[in-house]
Every structure is written in structure tokens, then in C-alpha cells.
Amino acid sequence: MSVRLHWFLPTTGDGRTIVERFHANRSLGPAAQRPPDIDYLAQIARAAEQLGFEGALTPTGTWCEDAWLTTAALIRETNRLKFLVAFRPGVISPTLAAQMAGTYQRISRGRLLLNIVTGGDAVEQRRFGDWHDHDARYARTGEFLSILRGVWSGEPFDFAGEHLEVEGATTLAAPDPVPEVYFGGSSPAALPVAARHADVYLTWGEPPSQVAEKIGKVRELAEEQGRTVRFGVRLHTISRDTSAEAWAEAQKMLDALSPDQVAKAQQQLAASGSVGQRRMVALHGGALDAGVRGLEIHPNLWAGVGLVRGGAGTALVGSHEEVADLIEEYHAHGVEEFVLSGYPHLEEAYWFGEGVRPVLASRGLLDGVPALRPARPEGAVSAQ
């Protein structure tokens, strides 16, 4: 069983520290050093493709650019890279989503992956006009995915649920191939939906033992449905030629944070209704004064990103071999897919692609298209 590696497109902006990407909320820090213009995102997408990443996740929310439109604009900038498009099922018609996916597959020649984001923050959901509570959102997501796959069957599809209803739903043509569905959620309401509908259950980077526990629960629920599900983890990465260099980079990121920034971010994150977000916060407890190694919650797993960032809040930190070791540890627990990112995303793609990927390949954990040796764009830093 090999691993599949994906990168990330920072559609809210990019920079050399964690806090700079929160340009939409100026109370947390300054504007991003690198705005998310299409030329910069194209640089990252081309680098990810050339370095051997299979796909790139693009986020969803009011704080970033629209994932569908941004990635559609990048199709012609790349040849092989898949786009893991995040979207919220509560704010779009399932029939329209099925149509968009079909069109996307045809114009991209099959390079769409779908990341279903049910939403855990009631404040943000209401910005979209969604007033459902947490459990109702997951129930609606289950109905949405039932309709989505029903429409993709190619025959008119009827469905009447508690939250959604369609009659004779169909589109011009079903997508070919049908996009794989990635799905995350840690609550009791989320896991059965993942087991019934997801192709890949995606979790944030908790310590391997905690990830293994989640995997066991979802796998058991999926088996009850007669299904198999693959598993992935969403992480940041700081990989360097030596462990000392990597931890020094993590220290720089920590030094760039102020107690006020952390306090404001933690106040906002504490209000989230997401069980997964609460689990992320519990890993570090907002302890900026713990020091860089005090935030190491498992060998080479650092929780410092989560001090100011919602969602994925942990990073793989170490030498290329140490980062590969931790990936291999997750893999031993059943994780096949890794959705990675780093600051800045262009340079970190090179550090990982040129440093860690060859180590994984030497251990027999990669297969498929080999990475190219691209000409390095201006501003990128070599991992060698």
C-alpha cells in the first residue's frame, strides 16, 4: 500500500509566517505578503505538479477565494495535477453541484476531487445563510451526497428527505470518471456520514494513536454498510536537511506570534461548534509560552500552527528522514493520503518534494509518475 501526496493552494494569501495568511482578519495580523493572485497560485500549482504531488487542496470559506473558480482557472496552467475542491453542501443545490462536477471533469479531463465541508462554525455558516445546527448539517450532508451520486447515475433521480428533495434530477452527462469524495468530521454525527458516503475520510493531524482510533471507528461503520473507505490526514510540514534547521524554522514562526494574537485567535476558535476544532485546540491549549519543543505533542509533530490557525493546526517538523518516519508511522495505522502545506507554500513544496519525497520513494511508499526536476522559479529556495 503506497501513499498519495497532495499539496495546498493558499487562496487567502501566503507569507513566511503563520499569522500573515490571516489577512482577512486584520486584528490577527498584517495583510499577506503574497496576495492570492492567479499568477502566484499558478506557480504553486505547477511546482506541486512537477514535484510529484498528485493533487492540491483548495479551501472554502468567506476568508478565501472561491475554490471552483480559482481551480478552473488553473486547469490550463497544469497538465496532470488534480484539484481537491472544497465546498459546502449546505449552500448549493446538489443537482447544480453534480452538474458543475460533470462539467469540471470534462474540461479538466478527469482531474477533479471533491472535499465536502459540512461546516463547524455557526457564525460562518450564517454568513452563507445556513441556520441549521451542527447535527442537522451533517444529516443534510448525507442527503446531499445521496442526491449527488444519484444524479451521477445518469438516470433521472428522485429523492425526498428531511432537508432536501429533488424530482427527476439529472444533468447533461455524468462525470467520467466520477470524482472521489473526501470528507472530514470528528463528531458522532459526522462519522456515520463518512462511512456511508466518503471515498476518503480526511482528518486533521492529531497524534498517530488518536488518528488510528478514528480510523478504527470509521472502518467499522463502513464495514457495516458493506463499504471500504480510504483514510487521509491534513498536515503542515517544515522539513529541512537537518532536524536543527527545521526546528529553528518552527522557532521563527513562534517568535513572530504575540500573546495578543494568540489570545484573540483562541477566543475565536473556542467558539467553534466543530468537534475536530476542539480536538485541535486541546493539543496545545493556547500555550504560547510552552516554547517550540514544548508544543511537540508527538515526536516531530508540532502543534504551534494551531495557536493562531483554525482547522489543521499541526506540522511535521524535522529532517527529511524524520518527516518521512512520521509519515510512515501514520501509514502503518492505515493512512494512505497526505494533504500537506507549508509557509510559504511555494518554497515548502520544494523542501518537501526534493527532500522527503525521495526518502519515501526509497522506502517503497510511492508509485506512479516520478517527480520531474523542474527549473526552480524565481524566489524558490532549494532543499539541497
Side-chain angles (χ1 to χ4, degrees):
M1 182 175 66
S2 61
V3 301
R4 299 168 66 181
L5 301 173
H6 307 275
W7 198 240
F8 185 86
L9 294 174
T11 55
T12 189
D14 203 4
R16 293 186 176 276
T17 66
I18 307 166
V19 76
E20 286 167 339
R21 69 186 304 278
F22 286 87
H23 68 290
N25 187 341
R26 294 183 184 275
S27 68
L28 294 179
Q33 289 181 346
R34 303 179 190 177
D37 65 76
I38 198 65
D39 291 332
Y40 179 61
L41 294 174
Q43 270 191 291
I44 297 172
R46 286 192 295 266
E49 178 173 88
Q50 293 166 337
L51 290 162
F53 291 96
E54 180 174 341
L57 172 64
T58 310
T60 181
T62 56
W63 44 269
C64 61
E65 299 287 8
D66 177 73
W68 289 100
L69 293 173
T70 301
T71 57
L74 295 173
I75 289 171
R76 289 300 186 105
E77 300 284 345
T78 52
N79 297 302
R80 177 185 53 81
L81 188 72
K82 296 178 182 178
F83 294 102
L84 180 50
V85 175
F87 75 100
R88 297 171 189 259
V91 298
I92 187 173
S93 154
T95 306
L96 177 58
Q99 181 187 43
M100 293 166 64
T103 300
Y104 199 112
Q105 284 296 65
R106 286 185 285 280
I107 65 175
S108 70
R109 294 179 173 85
R111 291 195 278 147
L112 174 66
L113 305 170
L114 292 176
N115 182 33
I116 307 299
V117 179
T118 299
D121 183 351
V123 173
E124 185 175 29
Q125 290 301 120
R126 290 169 185 170
R127 293 175 189 155
F128 287 104
D130 179 11
W131 293 80
H132 284 61
D133 64 28
H134 177 277
D135 288 2
R137 287 198 296 269
Y138 278 103
R140 181 183 56 195
T141 293
E143 294 181 8
F144 182 100
L145 292 171
S146 293
I147 296 170
L148 192 72
R149 293 195 186 276
V151 175
W152 286 343
S153 71
E155 299 293 332
F157 184 73
D158 297 340
F159 183 91
E162 182 181 354
H163 304 281
L164 299 171
E165 182 174 359
V166 296
E167 183 176 327
T170 187
T171 62
L172 172 67
D176 184 19
V178 170
E180 291 182 305
V181 172
Y182 290 64
F183 178 93
S186 299
S187 69
L191 299 187
V193 179
R196 186 175 182 84
H197 296 283
D199 296 303
V200 179
Y201 175 74
L202 192 61
T203 184
W204 290 326
E206 298 174 8
S209 61
Q210 295 181 30
V211 170
E213 182 181 1
K214 269 191 201 177
I215 285 174
K217 290 178 181 178
V218 175
R219 181 176 284 138
E220 183 178 351
L221 290 169
E223 288 173 352
E224 293 174 2
Q225 299 284 337
R227 302 184 70 245
T228 57
V229 177
R230 300 199 312 279
F231 299 95
V233 64
R234 171 79 180 93
L235 290 154
H236 305 281
T237 177
I238 306 173
S239 179
R240 296 294 185 269
D241 294 335
T242 68
S243 186
E245 290 174 306
W247 284 105
E249 190 64 30
Q251 182 68 62
K252 288 181 187 177
M253 291 186 176
L254 197 64
D255 290 343
L257 303 179
S258 71
D260 184 55
Q261 288 170 331
V262 173
K264 288 180 179 178
Q266 290 302 300
Q267 183 179 18
Q268 292 178 11
L269 296 175
S272 173
S274 167
V275 172
Q277 185 62 71
R278 291 200 295 269
R279 290 169 70 106
M280 279 282 101
V281 171
L283 295 177
H284 56 71
L288 178 62
D289 58 357
V292 67
R293 297 306 288 256
L295 292 165
E296 185 181 15
I297 57 174
H298 180 84
N300 300 106
L301 183 65
W302 186 58
V305 179
L307 291 174
V308 290
R309 187 197 191 281
T314 52
L316 308 168
V317 180
S319 68
H320 306 312
E321 291 76 15
E322 288 171 335
V323 169
D325 289 343
L326 188 47
I327 288 175
E328 195 165 5
E329 185 176 353
Y330 279 112
H331 184 252
H333 287 296
V335 176
E336 297 179 55
E337 308 216 8
F338 293 82
V339 182
L340 305 169
S341 57
Y343 305 103
H345 288 74
L346 181 61
E347 286 89 330
E348 286 299 329
Y350 280 95
W351 280 112
F352 187 94
E354 295 180 344
V356 181
R357 194 180 187 281
V359 179
L360 296 173
S362 72
R363 298 180 185 184
L365 291 175
L366 296 178
D367 58 21
V369 181
L372 304 178
R373 281 292 179 180
R376 187 170 295 106
E378 183 179 352
V381 178
S382 172
Q384 302 304 323

